[in-house]
Each structure stands twice: as structure tokens, then as C-alpha cells.
Amino acid sequence: YDAKTAPVAGWNLAKNFPGGATAEVKHTLENCSVFDRCHTVRVRICGEGIMEKLSGVTGERMTVPFAVAVALEDVELTVIAMMENDLLVLADNENSVNKLVELLGNVEVSDLSDQLAQLEIAGKKLVDVMADFDVPEEEIPQGNSVVRRPVAEVNSIMICNHRFQVPALTLVFTSEYAEGMWEEFVDTYPVKPAGYAAYDILTSKSN
């Protein structure tokens, strides 16, 4: 896709695609974009009493399954609970995961970053795009809900991404399908690929 790349956390990431970050932001706000987030961290955290400890961190107790954003100092993680005392954590880096582990105490941590892939789908026309993947609007997760279902025939976990200024989804699935899923979304009108520069602008709390 002739992207301009730059090194980030050991990865050579797409900073922006032809047209530039400003055009990608505009397209996302008016249509829909796909963001590759496979360079980020995905870990499984489990242990006895972990739900109570998590409630102490978030200040609320939720019914499984759920997804919740957890703010720790200057970082934010997404915690997904599909079963009691068994968490999937999505984070920008390992340091933020370590901070959460310190708060939760005696837990078991497994790095799933190589086994799971992660895409973000965001934009004004998100509902229309997901309809092309046979995901009806009522099955698009809202708030803290979690939906587990096939997307493009790939079993996926879908959660609402609250970071964006527009409707957005996080999709997590087995990494062997990463390239294929990326191609599926890029080939779906009106989706276009967007880089991390546009992602940072669209998820900035100052905007």
C-alpha cells in the first residue's frame, strides 16, 4: 500500500499511507478506516480472586463477559473478561501490563501477542461496513459488552473501542488470519487503511 513507515517499539509500522495522516483522519470521520494494532501487547492474566481485585482497581463490579478500560497513571489498558478470574488484557506496551499485574498481586501471566492479532475498525460508517461482514447493528458491541462471533469466517472477539472520536471496534482473533482479515477490510468499501499518526490524532483526549 506504499505506506510511509517508521520504527516503533521494535516494529516497522505504517505511519501514514499516500495522502497523509490528515486525509486519513478526515476519511475516518466521514467514512471508515482500518488500523493495524498487531504490534501492541496482548496477555492473559488469571488467578484466584482476580475479579475482586479488578473491581478494586476499576471501582465497579461487572458481570462476565465484559470489557473495561482501566486507567493507570498516564496509561490506559483494555481488560476483557470472558470467564471468571480469567482476563485478556490489551495494552500499548509491556510497562502498562506490569503496572496492572502489580496491582492484582499473585497472578499468572501469559503473553499471547504472537498468537493473537488485533485490528481497530473506526468511522462514521462503521455499522454499514460491519453489515457487509454479516454483522447486524444489534450485534455490534456497545458500552462494556463483548461479542464473540465470526467476522469474515474468522472467530473473533469484538469490543467497543472508547478511545476514538467516532464509532469504533476492536477485533481480536488468531494471528494466522491477520493478513487475510486486513485485506478483507481494505477491500470493503468505503474502508481505507490508516497509520499510527492518524490513530494518535483520533484517539487523543485533547481532541
Side-chain angles (χ1 to χ4, degrees):
Y1 299 98
D2 197 24
K4 180 179 180 180
T5 62
V8 177
W11 291 72
N12 197 31
L13 299 185
K15 181 177 182 181
N16 59 262
F17 293 83
T22 301
E24 291 171 11
V25 169
K26 183 175 186 294
H27 181 81
T28 305
L29 294 174
E30 297 176 354
N31 293 282
C32 199
S33 298
V34 58
F35 300 82
D36 183 355
R37 302 291 290 168
C38 291
H39 66 285
T40 55
V41 178
R42 289 162 294 282
V43 301
R44 180 186 183 189
I45 300 178
C46 17
E48 287 299 321
I50 200 171
M51 306 306 287
E52 287 73 18
K53 294 175 183 178
L54 182 63
S55 296
V57 175
T58 63
E60 54 185 318
R61 171 79 184 192
M62 288 174 286
T63 303
V64 173
F66 67 81
V68 61
V70 178
L72 299 175
E73 298 177 7
D74 58 341
V75 298
E76 184 176 286
L77 310 87
T78 299
V79 177
I80 303 170
M82 301 298 294
M83 299 181 292
E84 288 285 335
N85 299 321
D86 196 338
L87 310 177
L88 173 61
V89 178
L90 313 180
D92 289 341
N93 54 64
E94 292 181 0
N95 289 337
S96 53
V97 173
N98 292 337
K99 290 180 181 179
L100 179 62
V101 170
E102 288 177 12
L103 290 172
L104 295 178
N106 186 25
V107 294
E108 180 181 336
V109 181
S110 304
D111 189 349
L112 302 179
S113 301
D114 291 337
Q115 300 174 41
L116 298 176
Q118 182 179 334
L119 297 181
E120 313 285 354
I121 318 300
K124 181 179 180 180
K125 296 184 179 179
L126 174 68
V127 171
D128 296 334
V129 169
M130 296 311 296
D132 285 339
F133 287 88
D134 297 322
V135 180
E137 183 173 3
E138 60 269 21
E139 290 190 26
I140 295 177
Q142 302 291 328
N144 297 114
S145 64
V146 179
V147 174
R148 193 166 192 170
R149 58 153 294 154
V151 177
E153 300 183 355
V154 175
N155 289 329
S156 305
I157 295 173
M158 297 193 301
I159 64 170
C160 179
N161 188 317
H162 301 282
R163 291 186 176 186
F164 282 86
Q165 306 166 33
V166 289
L169 285 178
T170 296
L171 267 66
V172 180
F173 49 90
T174 306
S175 58
E176 65 181 295
Y177 300 107
E179 184 175 348
M181 285 284 272
W182 172 265
E183 296 285 352
E184 288 279 357
F185 278 100
V186 171
D187 290 343
T188 301
Y189 179 83
V191 179
K192 288 185 178 181
Y196 74 80
Y199 180 92
D200 289 345
I201 294 170
L202 288 161
T203 58
S204 171
K205 292 182 179 180
S206 62
N207 286 290

